Amino acid sequence: MQRITILGATGSIGVSTLDVLARHPERYSVYALSAHSRVDELAAQCVRFRPARAVVGDADAAARLRALLRAAGVRTEVEHGERALCAIASAAETDTVMAAIVGAAGLAPTLAAARAGKKVLLANKEALVMSGQLFMDAVRESGAVLLPIDSEHNAIFQCLPQGYGRAPAAAGVTKILLTASGGPFLKRDVATLDGVTPDEACAHPKWVMGRKISVDSATMMNKGLEVIEAHWLFGTPAEQIEVVIHPQSVIHSMVSYSDGSVLAELGNPDMRTPIAHALAYPERIASGVAQLDLTQVGTLQFERPDFERFPCLALAFDALKAGGTAPALLNAANEAAVAAFLDTRIGFRDIARVIARVMDELPHGAAASIEAVMAQDALARAAAGRVIDAIAARAAG
Ligand code: NDP
Ligand code: MG
């Protein structure tokens, strides 16, 4: 019986994870669940899955959750805050941690799980982007098992000879081909992108996801973050990672070998497949996802990304090549800019402008410690805030 902690249980990945777990009660039990502010959703999950512990963002949310659980006769222990998140991620009573909090907020608990030697199912790509070297060192030192949930990285993992235990070059790997749907604005006239609304940006053609990652998909910053994520997970240099636009999202990524072979993982676009793969690895379990029928799909298309249309992708490659804390700056500026776009304070194309300005303004340093990374994160958010205020003031005036 695997005992699971889900960080970010009320989100898109969290809900899909519980869906898979519920199909296999003989294999999995839920040890702990977390949410930030959606207390009603978390209460319903606690009633159904009866975790020993639940964590929310603040004391007020904790009080509301306690009241709901008391009324329902559920004896889950309720805590709040980052320290409690780290505790449920590293507790002796849990074996497997699904890291599915969105953004930098997931870094501390995800790292706590890695340091405690857990089986870490990594959806929270921002944690790896911010502190790739520190995170991978923690995994190596503790003997944690790191399994990628991001569909592309899960596909690559499946196409590599022995996971990523071996350096890809030694295994004959010449290139990683990361596929990208291109998002909702792949064919839209670039000149009209300034006027798109948050709802239009979040209407992804193939995947149903949280709002932050949906905007990242529309700017293709998501793919940029995934390039950095692939670099750390598989030890692949930036020059050997290529982005290929594939609007059908049937091929989830590919690996090229020196003999000319290209291996791909295919399936219907549904996150329950990589979640089930990682949960059961190296076995296979049912995920609830329908089998792929290629005759229904008919045609698979591929094209090169247009870096003019998607400047965020170029910014991410630049940050990876710059190294050190540059990816942490990129990530923080992006989180601030996406939040401002979702609040309709800045336009869609301003997201890339904010990030570029922050990257120009702030020198990056060595990512020597989590404290150094978090300090750069804070600087980048403050700098992004100033650029956002200036843009918003200009638009208002
Ligand atoms: P959602 O926005 O749907 O869910 C985010 C989860 O994190 C919720 O449980 C939310 O709680 C919680 N949360 C939000 N802010 C905080 C905070 N400050 N502190 C603690 N918890 C917080 O996101 P997704 O499920 O879409 O994405 C989660 C992660 O997985 C992201 O890193 C994303 O990039 C990655 N990912 C997602 C994919 C997808 O298909 N959705 C695909 C590949 C990767 P509450 O509900 O209370 O707000
Ligand atoms: Mg992905």
Side-chain angles (χ1 to χ4, degrees):
M1 186 66 104
Q2 269 185 62
R3 298 160 301 175
I4 320 277
T5 289
I6 305 179
L7 304 170
T10 46
S12 159
I13 293 287
V15 168
S16 292
T17 303
L18 286 169
D19 181 282
V20 176
L21 295 181
R23 291 166 196 276
H24 305 280
E26 73 297 347
R27 287 181 77 113
Y28 305 108
S29 67
V30 176
Y31 169 65
L33 298 174
S34 92
H36 191 54
S37 55
R38 283 189 282 183
V39 168
D40 292 343
E41 285 82 349
L42 184 62
Q45 292 179 342
C46 290
V47 169
R48 177 153 181 222
F49 292 95
R50 306 282 164 146
R53 298 166 78 176
V55 175
V56 287
D58 58 29
D60 175 57
R64 283 187 288 134
L65 181 60
R66 270 188 212 107
L68 287 170
L69 294 183
R70 205 176 310 120
V74 175
R75 294 167 57 158
T76 298
E77 189 191 331
V78 177
E79 299 150 89
H80 71 270
E82 187 171 273
R83 200 182 296 186
L85 284 177
C86 293
I88 59 168
S90 58
E93 296 90 341
T94 188
D95 321 289
T96 302
V97 177
M98 168 58 81
I101 288 174
V102 61
L107 176 58
T110 305
L111 196 61
R115 286 182 174 150
K118 301 301 179 192
K119 177 169 161 183
V120 182
L121 314 188
L122 185 73
N124 181 203
K125 64 191 87 183
E126 296 91 347
L128 201 56
V129 167
M130 292 174 71
S131 61
Q133 186 69 58
L134 293 163
F135 192 84
M136 296 310 286
D137 287 349
V139 167
R140 254 185 303 274
E141 281 160 23
S142 69
V145 174
L146 184 58
L147 293 164
I149 294 298
D150 214 347
S151 58
E152 295 76 5
H153 306 76
N154 185 272
I156 293 160
F157 180 85
Q158 295 196 49
C159 295
L160 286 173
Q162 308 165 2
Y164 43 86
R166 256 166 96 186
V173 171
T174 52
K175 212 178 254 183
I176 280 177
L177 299 161
L178 270 183
T179 52
S181 70
F185 305 140
L186 181 59
K187 297 291 172 202
R188 185 167 168 145
D189 179 2
V190 178
T192 68
L193 283 179
D194 266 327
V196 302
T197 64
D199 283 345
E200 285 176 288
C202 289
H204 196 277
K206 291 291 168 194
W207 300 91
V208 182
M209 309 180 286
R211 281 171 84 77
K212 190 265 178 180
I213 185 176
S214 295
V215 176
D216 285 349
S217 298
T219 61
M220 281 194 81
M221 178 55 92
N222 181 51
K223 209 51 53 181
L225 299 177
E226 290 182 358
V227 168
I228 301 172
E229 185 184 9
H231 164 75
W232 289 115
L233 283 173
F234 308 115
T236 314
E239 311 75 62
Q240 286 174 24
I241 305 174
E242 194 174 310
V243 173
V244 183
I245 303 241
H246 165 46
Q248 290 78 20
S249 298
V250 163
I251 295 181
H252 300 140
S253 276
M254 297 173 264
V255 176
S256 253
Y257 286 87
S258 50
D259 60 6
S261 302
V262 179
L263 300 194
E265 187 262 346
L266 289 74
N268 285 316
D270 186 319
M271 290 306 294
R272 291 176 299 173
T273 295
I275 289 167
H277 170 266
L279 275 171
Y281 180 79
E283 294 170 23
R284 297 272 180 178
I285 55 170
S287 64
V289 178
Q291 290 291 316
L292 175 64
D293 180 350
L294 280 171
T295 63
Q296 284 290 320
V297 179
T299 309
L300 299 181
Q301 295 163 307
F302 306 93
E303 59 184 91
R304 281 188 202 291
D306 173 355
F307 284 84
E308 308 263 304
R309 175 181 288 272
F310 298 112
C312 285
L313 190 53
L315 289 168
F317 268 104
D318 290 348
L320 175 56
K321 286 175 190 156
T325 54
L329 293 175
L330 173 94
N331 179 65
N334 180 57
E335 284 190 30
V338 170
F341 168 70
L342 286 172
D343 281 349
T344 64
R345 295 192 62 219
I346 62 172
F348 181 75
R349 291 215 288 172
D350 291 327
I351 296 172
R353 293 183 190 120
V354 170
I355 301 163
R357 275 284 295 281
V358 171
M359 302 299 288
D360 274 350
E361 261 177 38
L362 294 182
H364 59 272
S369 65
I370 288 300
E371 292 70 28
V373 169
M374 290 315 295
Q376 290 274 319
D377 175 279
L379 280 178
R381 279 171 208 268
R386 288 190 294 275
V387 181
I388 289 163
D389 287 346
I391 293 173
R394 214 175 307 133

